Short mmCIF file of all heavy atoms in Angstrom, two decimals:
data_model
loop_
_atom_site.label_atom_id
_atom_site.label_comp_id
_atom_site.label_asym_id
_atom_site.label_seq_id
_atom_site.Cartn_x
_atom_site.Cartn_y
_atom_site.Cartn_z
N GLY Y 171 145.87 142.28 -48.51
CA GLY Y 171 145.64 143.65 -48.80
C GLY Y 171 144.79 144.24 -47.65
O GLY Y 171 144.76 143.67 -46.56
N ASN Y 172 144.18 145.35 -47.86
CA ASN Y 172 143.60 146.13 -46.87
C ASN Y 172 142.43 145.38 -46.09
O ASN Y 172 142.35 145.36 -44.91
CB ASN Y 172 143.02 147.43 -47.37
CG ASN Y 172 143.00 148.53 -46.41
OD1 ASN Y 172 143.85 148.54 -45.51
ND2 ASN Y 172 142.13 149.48 -46.53
N ILE Y 173 141.64 144.68 -46.90
CA ILE Y 173 140.51 143.98 -46.23
C ILE Y 173 140.91 142.90 -45.30
O ILE Y 173 140.57 142.84 -44.10
CB ILE Y 173 139.58 143.34 -47.33
CG1 ILE Y 173 138.99 144.41 -48.20
CG2 ILE Y 173 138.47 142.48 -46.66
CD1 ILE Y 173 138.15 143.80 -49.39
N TYR Y 174 141.84 142.03 -45.76
CA TYR Y 174 142.12 140.80 -44.95
C TYR Y 174 143.10 141.16 -43.83
O TYR Y 174 143.13 140.42 -42.75
CB TYR Y 174 142.62 139.72 -45.86
CG TYR Y 174 141.48 139.21 -46.76
CD1 TYR Y 174 141.42 139.65 -48.12
CD2 TYR Y 174 140.43 138.52 -46.27
CE1 TYR Y 174 140.38 139.29 -48.87
CE2 TYR Y 174 139.32 138.16 -47.02
CZ TYR Y 174 139.32 138.58 -48.35
OH TYR Y 174 138.27 138.24 -49.14
N VAL Y 175 143.89 142.19 -43.96
CA VAL Y 175 144.73 142.60 -42.88
C VAL Y 175 143.90 143.08 -41.72
O VAL Y 175 144.07 142.72 -40.53
CB VAL Y 175 145.83 143.58 -43.32
CG1 VAL Y 175 146.43 144.24 -42.11
CG2 VAL Y 175 146.86 143.01 -44.20
N ASP Y 176 142.98 143.97 -42.07
CA ASP Y 176 142.01 144.51 -41.02
C ASP Y 176 141.31 143.37 -40.34
O ASP Y 176 141.12 143.38 -39.10
CB ASP Y 176 141.04 145.53 -41.60
CG ASP Y 176 141.63 146.94 -41.80
OD1 ASP Y 176 142.81 147.06 -41.52
OD2 ASP Y 176 140.92 147.86 -42.12
N GLU Y 177 140.73 142.43 -41.15
CA GLU Y 177 139.96 141.40 -40.53
C GLU Y 177 140.76 140.41 -39.69
O GLU Y 177 140.35 139.99 -38.61
CB GLU Y 177 139.30 140.57 -41.77
CG GLU Y 177 138.24 141.34 -42.46
CD GLU Y 177 137.07 141.72 -41.58
OE1 GLU Y 177 136.54 140.80 -40.87
OE2 GLU Y 177 136.68 142.94 -41.47
N ALA Y 178 141.99 140.13 -40.17
CA ALA Y 178 142.83 139.15 -39.40
C ALA Y 178 143.27 139.81 -38.14
O ALA Y 178 143.35 139.19 -37.04
CB ALA Y 178 144.03 138.71 -40.24
N LEU Y 179 143.61 141.05 -38.12
CA LEU Y 179 144.03 141.81 -36.92
C LEU Y 179 142.87 141.87 -35.89
O LEU Y 179 143.07 141.70 -34.67
CB LEU Y 179 144.57 143.19 -37.22
CG LEU Y 179 145.97 143.19 -37.86
CD1 LEU Y 179 146.30 144.59 -38.39
CD2 LEU Y 179 147.06 142.78 -36.83
N PHE Y 180 141.67 142.04 -36.38
CA PHE Y 180 140.55 142.06 -35.53
C PHE Y 180 140.33 140.65 -34.90
O PHE Y 180 140.20 140.51 -33.62
CB PHE Y 180 139.29 142.44 -36.24
CG PHE Y 180 137.99 142.26 -35.42
CD1 PHE Y 180 137.62 143.20 -34.49
CD2 PHE Y 180 137.22 141.07 -35.48
CE1 PHE Y 180 136.54 143.03 -33.63
CE2 PHE Y 180 136.08 140.94 -34.67
CZ PHE Y 180 135.73 141.86 -33.78
N ARG Y 181 140.40 139.62 -35.69
CA ARG Y 181 140.18 138.28 -35.22
C ARG Y 181 141.27 137.91 -34.16
O ARG Y 181 141.04 137.11 -33.26
CB ARG Y 181 140.18 137.25 -36.34
CG ARG Y 181 139.01 137.46 -37.23
CD ARG Y 181 138.98 136.34 -38.30
NE ARG Y 181 137.87 136.55 -39.23
CZ ARG Y 181 137.31 135.48 -39.78
NH1 ARG Y 181 137.63 134.25 -39.49
NH2 ARG Y 181 136.31 135.72 -40.63
N ALA Y 182 142.51 138.44 -34.37
CA ALA Y 182 143.58 138.06 -33.50
C ALA Y 182 143.56 139.03 -32.28
O ALA Y 182 144.34 138.80 -31.32
CB ALA Y 182 144.97 138.23 -34.20
N GLY Y 183 142.68 140.03 -32.22
CA GLY Y 183 142.57 140.92 -31.08
C GLY Y 183 143.78 141.87 -30.97
O GLY Y 183 144.16 142.20 -29.89
N LEU Y 184 144.40 142.19 -32.13
CA LEU Y 184 145.52 143.06 -32.15
C LEU Y 184 145.29 144.44 -32.70
O LEU Y 184 144.71 144.50 -33.85
CB LEU Y 184 146.64 142.39 -32.88
CG LEU Y 184 147.15 141.01 -32.29
CD1 LEU Y 184 148.10 140.33 -33.26
CD2 LEU Y 184 147.78 141.26 -30.92
N ASP Y 185 145.75 145.47 -32.13
CA ASP Y 185 145.54 146.80 -32.60
C ASP Y 185 146.49 147.05 -33.76
O ASP Y 185 147.70 146.85 -33.68
CB ASP Y 185 145.94 147.80 -31.50
CG ASP Y 185 145.57 149.26 -31.80
OD1 ASP Y 185 145.88 149.65 -32.98
OD2 ASP Y 185 145.12 150.03 -30.96
N PRO Y 186 145.92 147.43 -34.97
CA PRO Y 186 146.76 147.57 -36.16
C PRO Y 186 147.88 148.58 -36.05
O PRO Y 186 148.86 148.55 -36.79
CB PRO Y 186 145.72 148.08 -37.24
CG PRO Y 186 144.51 148.52 -36.47
CD PRO Y 186 144.52 147.74 -35.20
N ARG Y 187 147.70 149.50 -35.02
CA ARG Y 187 148.77 150.58 -34.88
C ARG Y 187 149.97 150.07 -34.09
O ARG Y 187 150.91 150.80 -33.98
CB ARG Y 187 148.18 151.76 -34.12
CG ARG Y 187 147.01 152.39 -34.99
CD ARG Y 187 146.18 153.32 -34.13
NE ARG Y 187 145.48 152.62 -33.03
CZ ARG Y 187 144.65 153.20 -32.18
NH1 ARG Y 187 144.35 154.49 -32.28
NH2 ARG Y 187 144.03 152.48 -31.16
N ARG Y 188 149.85 148.89 -33.46
CA ARG Y 188 151.00 148.40 -32.65
C ARG Y 188 152.25 148.37 -33.40
O ARG Y 188 152.31 147.86 -34.60
CB ARG Y 188 150.68 146.97 -32.18
CG ARG Y 188 149.68 146.90 -31.08
CD ARG Y 188 150.33 146.88 -29.67
NE ARG Y 188 151.15 145.70 -29.47
CZ ARG Y 188 150.77 144.49 -29.11
NH1 ARG Y 188 149.47 144.29 -28.84
NH2 ARG Y 188 151.62 143.50 -28.93
N PRO Y 189 153.35 148.88 -32.85
CA PRO Y 189 154.70 148.72 -33.52
C PRO Y 189 154.89 147.20 -33.77
O PRO Y 189 154.65 146.41 -32.87
CB PRO Y 189 155.68 149.28 -32.51
CG PRO Y 189 154.83 150.22 -31.66
CD PRO Y 189 153.46 149.60 -31.58
N ALA Y 190 155.33 146.81 -34.96
CA ALA Y 190 155.47 145.41 -35.33
C ALA Y 190 156.34 144.71 -34.31
O ALA Y 190 156.00 143.55 -33.86
CB ALA Y 190 156.10 145.33 -36.70
N GLY Y 191 157.37 145.37 -33.85
CA GLY Y 191 158.32 144.67 -32.94
C GLY Y 191 157.83 144.50 -31.51
O GLY Y 191 158.40 143.76 -30.73
N SER Y 192 156.60 145.04 -31.23
CA SER Y 192 155.98 144.82 -29.89
C SER Y 192 155.19 143.61 -29.73
O SER Y 192 154.76 143.28 -28.66
CB SER Y 192 155.18 146.11 -29.56
OG SER Y 192 153.94 146.07 -30.24
N LEU Y 193 154.99 142.88 -30.82
CA LEU Y 193 154.12 141.70 -30.74
C LEU Y 193 154.92 140.56 -30.04
O LEU Y 193 156.09 140.29 -30.37
CB LEU Y 193 153.64 141.21 -32.11
CG LEU Y 193 152.28 141.69 -32.54
CD1 LEU Y 193 152.33 143.21 -32.70
CD2 LEU Y 193 151.83 140.98 -33.83
N THR Y 194 154.22 139.86 -29.11
CA THR Y 194 154.86 138.75 -28.49
C THR Y 194 154.80 137.48 -29.31
O THR Y 194 154.03 137.47 -30.31
CB THR Y 194 154.12 138.43 -27.15
OG1 THR Y 194 152.76 138.04 -27.45
CG2 THR Y 194 154.04 139.66 -26.26
N PRO Y 195 155.57 136.47 -29.03
CA PRO Y 195 155.51 135.19 -29.76
C PRO Y 195 154.06 134.63 -29.78
O PRO Y 195 153.60 134.15 -30.81
CB PRO Y 195 156.47 134.30 -29.06
CG PRO Y 195 157.47 135.21 -28.47
CD PRO Y 195 156.70 136.44 -28.04
N GLU Y 196 153.36 134.69 -28.66
CA GLU Y 196 152.00 134.20 -28.56
C GLU Y 196 151.06 135.02 -29.50
O GLU Y 196 150.27 134.46 -30.18
CB GLU Y 196 151.54 134.27 -27.12
CG GLU Y 196 150.01 134.18 -26.92
CD GLU Y 196 149.42 132.85 -27.56
OE1 GLU Y 196 150.17 131.90 -27.79
OE2 GLU Y 196 148.22 132.88 -27.77
N GLU Y 197 151.20 136.36 -29.47
CA GLU Y 197 150.39 137.19 -30.33
C GLU Y 197 150.65 136.89 -31.82
O GLU Y 197 149.81 136.87 -32.63
CB GLU Y 197 150.61 138.65 -29.98
CG GLU Y 197 150.02 139.09 -28.66
CD GLU Y 197 150.39 140.50 -28.28
OE1 GLU Y 197 151.53 140.98 -28.66
OE2 GLU Y 197 149.63 141.16 -27.60
N THR Y 198 151.91 136.67 -32.11
CA THR Y 198 152.33 136.39 -33.45
C THR Y 198 151.71 135.07 -33.99
O THR Y 198 151.28 134.91 -35.13
CB THR Y 198 153.83 136.40 -33.62
OG1 THR Y 198 154.33 137.63 -33.10
CG2 THR Y 198 154.32 136.17 -35.05
N ARG Y 199 151.78 134.12 -33.03
CA ARG Y 199 151.22 132.82 -33.34
C ARG Y 199 149.68 132.93 -33.69
O ARG Y 199 149.20 132.36 -34.64
CB ARG Y 199 151.47 131.82 -32.21
CG ARG Y 199 151.14 130.37 -32.48
CD ARG Y 199 151.10 129.57 -31.21
NE ARG Y 199 150.03 130.00 -30.30
CZ ARG Y 199 148.78 129.87 -30.50
NH1 ARG Y 199 148.27 129.22 -31.57
NH2 ARG Y 199 147.84 130.37 -29.63
N ARG Y 200 149.04 133.66 -32.84
CA ARG Y 200 147.62 133.90 -33.05
C ARG Y 200 147.30 134.63 -34.33
O ARG Y 200 146.39 134.26 -35.05
CB ARG Y 200 147.10 134.79 -31.88
CG ARG Y 200 145.75 134.42 -31.31
CD ARG Y 200 145.57 135.05 -29.95
NE ARG Y 200 145.59 136.50 -29.97
CZ ARG Y 200 146.11 137.28 -28.98
NH1 ARG Y 200 146.60 136.64 -27.89
NH2 ARG Y 200 146.03 138.58 -29.05
N LEU Y 201 148.21 135.60 -34.67
CA LEU Y 201 148.00 136.36 -35.91
C LEU Y 201 148.16 135.50 -37.13
O LEU Y 201 147.36 135.57 -38.07
CB LEU Y 201 149.04 137.47 -35.90
CG LEU Y 201 148.94 138.50 -37.14
CD1 LEU Y 201 147.59 139.01 -37.35
CD2 LEU Y 201 150.01 139.60 -36.95
N VAL Y 202 149.21 134.67 -37.13
CA VAL Y 202 149.40 133.70 -38.26
C VAL Y 202 148.16 132.84 -38.41
O VAL Y 202 147.64 132.67 -39.60
CB VAL Y 202 150.67 132.89 -38.11
CG1 VAL Y 202 150.68 131.71 -39.04
CG2 VAL Y 202 151.90 133.76 -38.21
N GLY Y 203 147.62 132.34 -37.31
CA GLY Y 203 146.46 131.46 -37.36
C GLY Y 203 145.28 132.12 -37.93
O GLY Y 203 144.49 131.60 -38.73
N GLU Y 204 145.04 133.40 -37.55
CA GLU Y 204 143.88 134.17 -37.96
C GLU Y 204 144.04 134.65 -39.37
O GLU Y 204 143.02 134.75 -40.15
CB GLU Y 204 143.65 135.36 -37.02
CG GLU Y 204 143.31 134.99 -35.63
CD GLU Y 204 141.99 134.17 -35.45
OE1 GLU Y 204 141.21 134.13 -36.46
OE2 GLU Y 204 141.74 133.67 -34.40
N ILE Y 205 145.23 134.98 -39.86
CA ILE Y 205 145.47 135.30 -41.31
C ILE Y 205 145.04 134.09 -42.14
O ILE Y 205 144.28 134.18 -43.08
CB ILE Y 205 146.94 135.68 -41.54
CG1 ILE Y 205 147.22 137.08 -40.91
CG2 ILE Y 205 147.22 135.70 -43.01
CD1 ILE Y 205 148.73 137.49 -40.95
N ARG Y 206 145.59 132.91 -41.78
CA ARG Y 206 145.28 131.75 -42.56
C ARG Y 206 143.79 131.39 -42.49
O ARG Y 206 143.16 130.99 -43.54
CB ARG Y 206 146.18 130.60 -42.01
CG ARG Y 206 147.69 130.84 -42.24
CD ARG Y 206 148.55 129.89 -41.50
NE ARG Y 206 148.58 128.57 -42.02
CZ ARG Y 206 149.59 128.05 -42.70
NH1 ARG Y 206 150.68 128.74 -42.93
NH2 ARG Y 206 149.54 126.85 -43.21
N GLY Y 207 143.25 131.48 -41.35
CA GLY Y 207 141.84 131.14 -41.12
C GLY Y 207 140.92 132.09 -41.96
O GLY Y 207 139.94 131.63 -42.65
N THR Y 208 141.23 133.39 -41.92
CA THR Y 208 140.42 134.34 -42.65
C THR Y 208 140.52 134.13 -44.14
O THR Y 208 139.52 134.12 -44.80
CB THR Y 208 140.87 135.79 -42.33
OG1 THR Y 208 140.89 135.93 -40.90
CG2 THR Y 208 139.98 136.79 -42.93
N LEU Y 209 141.74 133.86 -44.63
CA LEU Y 209 141.89 133.63 -46.12
C LEU Y 209 141.09 132.40 -46.50
O LEU Y 209 140.46 132.36 -47.57
CB LEU Y 209 143.37 133.56 -46.42
CG LEU Y 209 144.18 134.79 -46.22
CD1 LEU Y 209 145.67 134.54 -46.54
CD2 LEU Y 209 143.67 136.02 -47.11
N ARG Y 210 141.31 131.28 -45.74
CA ARG Y 210 140.68 130.05 -46.07
C ARG Y 210 139.12 130.17 -46.11
O ARG Y 210 138.50 129.62 -47.04
CB ARG Y 210 141.07 128.98 -45.12
CG ARG Y 210 142.49 128.44 -45.29
CD ARG Y 210 142.57 126.98 -44.82
NE ARG Y 210 143.92 126.51 -44.87
CZ ARG Y 210 144.80 126.60 -43.85
NH1 ARG Y 210 144.36 127.15 -42.70
NH2 ARG Y 210 146.02 126.23 -44.02
N GLU Y 211 138.58 130.83 -45.10
CA GLU Y 211 137.18 130.98 -45.10
C GLU Y 211 136.73 131.86 -46.27
O GLU Y 211 135.61 131.55 -46.79
CB GLU Y 211 136.82 131.73 -43.71
CG GLU Y 211 135.42 131.58 -43.32
CD GLU Y 211 135.12 132.37 -41.98
OE1 GLU Y 211 135.89 132.23 -41.04
OE2 GLU Y 211 134.15 133.08 -42.04
N SER Y 212 137.43 132.90 -46.60
CA SER Y 212 137.00 133.71 -47.74
C SER Y 212 137.07 132.93 -49.03
O SER Y 212 136.13 133.08 -49.88
CB SER Y 212 137.93 134.97 -47.82
OG SER Y 212 137.53 135.75 -48.91
N ILE Y 213 138.12 132.21 -49.21
CA ILE Y 213 138.22 131.38 -50.44
C ILE Y 213 137.04 130.43 -50.53
O ILE Y 213 136.47 130.20 -51.63
CB ILE Y 213 139.54 130.52 -50.49
CG1 ILE Y 213 140.73 131.54 -50.69
CG2 ILE Y 213 139.52 129.53 -51.58
CD1 ILE Y 213 142.15 130.91 -50.45
N ALA Y 214 136.64 129.79 -49.38
CA ALA Y 214 135.53 128.89 -49.42
C ALA Y 214 134.23 129.64 -49.79
O ALA Y 214 133.32 128.93 -50.21
CB ALA Y 214 135.40 128.25 -48.01
#
Side-chain angles (χ1 to χ4, degrees):
Chain Y
N172 211 28
I173 297 175
Y174 295 103
V175 167
D176 278 6
E177 291 298 308
L179 284 167
F180 172 80
R181 292 183 184 216
L184 298 170
D185 189 317
R187 300 166 294 184
R188 284 267 297 276
S192 75
L193 267 66
T194 66
E196 164 56 21
E197 288 172 329
T198 304
R199 191 193 60 71
R200 220 161 63 214
L201 181 54
V202 167
E204 296 297 348
I205 288 171
R206 296 166 74 106
T208 305
L209 294 176
R210 284 209 186 92
E211 199 182 311
S212 180
I213 291 170

